[in-house]
Amino acid sequence: MDFMATSQPTSPPLIPGTTAPQRPQEDGGGEVVLERVPKKVKPPQMHQVVMLNDDYTPMEFVVVVIQEFFSKDRETATQIMLKIHLDGKAVCGVYTRDVAATKVDQVLDAARQAGHPLQCVSEPIE
C-alpha cells in the first residue's frame, strides 16, 4: 500500500513563550549558509576533598594515603598531614564532583581496611 502526501506539511504549533525556528538564509548565489551559534557552557562546580583529624589514625598512614590517592610527594603530603593534625582539617585536592566523591570513597575504604577511623569529606567550593 502506497501513501502520498496530498498537501504540504505544516509546522507544529508554537508553545507560548517560544520563538519560531530560524530558516537558513540564502547568500544570493542559490546556496544556503548556516551560521554557527556558540553555546555558553559553564565550567563544572569544583569540590574540595577535606581530610579530618582524629586522635587514633597514625600520622604515617595519613601521609601514605595522601601520597597514594592525591599524587603528592612525601614532603607535601607531610605538610598536609601536619595541617590536618594542627588545624583539625586540611584540603587534599580540588576536583570535579564525581572525581572528589571517588577520592573520598578511596580514602574511606583504605582507612576501613587498615582499621583506622580516618574521615574524609567533599565540600563544594563557593
Side-chain angles (χ1 to χ4, degrees):
M1 180 181 268
D2 292 329
F3 292 101
M4 289 184 106
T6 56
S7 64
Q8 290 290 339
T10 59
S11 298
L14 285 178
I15 299 171
T18 62
T19 59
Q22 298 284 40
R23 297 235 186 259
Q25 298 178 357
E26 292 194 22
D27 67 352
E31 295 186 19
V32 176
V33 178
L34 296 176
E35 282 189 41
R36 178 172 290 193
V37 179
K39 291 185 178 182
K40 294 181 181 176
V41 179
K42 293 189 324 187
Q45 183 180 17
M46 301 302 281
H47 290 250
Q48 58 189 9
V49 177
V50 179
M51 204 172 294
L52 307 175
N53 187 41
D54 65 71
D55 294 332
Y56 304 101
T57 305
M59 292 180 179
E60 184 59 32
F61 178 78
V62 175
V63 170
V64 170
V65 165
I66 294 170
Q67 284 181 283
E68 183 175 341
F69 298 118
F70 299 98
S71 303
K72 305 291 185 187
D73 59 70
R74 184 151 184 85
E75 183 178 337
T76 304
T78 303
Q79 290 173 354
I80 293 172
M81 178 274 300
L82 288 173
K83 183 162 177 57
I84 295 167
H85 182 69
L86 297 173
D87 297 344
K89 65 180 182 177
V91 175
C92 297
V94 176
Y95 308 95
T96 59
R97 185 185 67 192
D98 294 339
V99 174
T102 301
K103 297 282 185 187
V104 168
D105 289 343
Q106 289 174 329
V107 169
L108 295 177
D109 286 344
R112 190 174 348 105
Q113 287 178 2
H116 300 302
L118 182 63
Q119 290 298 303
C120 187
V121 294
S122 172
E123 300 173 347
I125 296 176
E126 304 286 324

